[in-house]
């Protein structure tokens, strides 16, 4: 189970790290033009979008770096919970905009992140 949780954490960290970096790097309208699922940016300022991107990058780092260094490994499941909250906000925005198809993907991320947090907090915590 430990290996599965590491793989999930690694994949999620890459996804959120790259996604957050793209949000921080690109201007608002260029980010919106990436794909059909990015119309949510119309509801936010450029500063909000960059703040969300930074939050995603910090959460991605929190999933991997503390347990790898062996310092405060409890930050990993806390980071998973934080990213789940970010995705809950994303799902709320999708709900408000009636983007049901995209909301399903946000919900899948919430479930995966909740599983990761549960696994690291109780089922298979990092060993010392």
């Amino acid at each position: 189970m430990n290996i599965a949780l590491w793989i999930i954490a690694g994949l999620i960290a890459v996804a959120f790290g790259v996604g957050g970096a793209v949000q921080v790097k690109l201007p608002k309208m260029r980010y919106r033009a990436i794909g059909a699922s990015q119309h949510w940016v119309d509801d936010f300022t450029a500063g909000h979008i960059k703040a969300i991107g930074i939050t995603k990058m910090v959460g991605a780092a929190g999933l991997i770096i503390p347990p790898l260094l062996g310092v405060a490994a409890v930050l990993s499941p806390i980071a998973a919970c934080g990213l789940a909250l970010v995705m809950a906000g994303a799902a709320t925005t999708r709900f408000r905009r009636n983007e049901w198809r995209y909301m399903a993907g946000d919900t899948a991320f919430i479930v995966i992140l909740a599983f990761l947090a549960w696994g690291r907090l109780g089922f298979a915590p990092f060993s010392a």
Side-chain angles (χ1 to χ4, degrees):
M1 184 62 146
N2 186 40
I3 293 171
L5 290 171
W6 268 111
I7 291 169
I8 292 168
L11 293 173
I12 293 290
V14 168
F16 277 91
V18 170
V22 169
Q23 277 183 262
V24 170
K25 184 165 173 56
L26 293 181
K28 177 180 175 177
M29 294 318 290
R30 188 143 175 241
Y31 181 71
R32 185 186 189 281
I34 287 176
S37 68
Q38 304 306 331
H39 294 291
W40 62 269
V41 301
D42 296 338
D43 295 349
F44 296 91
T45 66
H48 286 126
I49 294 165
K50 294 201 183 305
I52 293 167
I54 290 169
T55 303
K56 287 180 177 181
M57 291 189 308
V58 169
L63 287 176
I64 300 297
I65 293 174
L68 275 182
L69 296 179
V71 178
V74 72
L75 292 177
S76 181
I78 292 172
C81 291
L83 288 173
L85 288 173
V86 169
M87 294 313 295
T92 302
T93 300
R94 302 284 194 194
F95 179 81
R96 210 170 14 113
R97 294 178 58 85
N98 293 322
E99 296 176 344
W100 308 108
R101 185 172 41 153
Y102 302 122
M103 192 173 86
D106 298 337
T107 305
F109 271 114
I110 294 169
V111 170
I112 292 167
L113 288 161
F115 173 75
L116 183 59
W118 168 77
R120 286 305 183 197
L121 281 172
F123 190 73
F126 295 106
S127 55

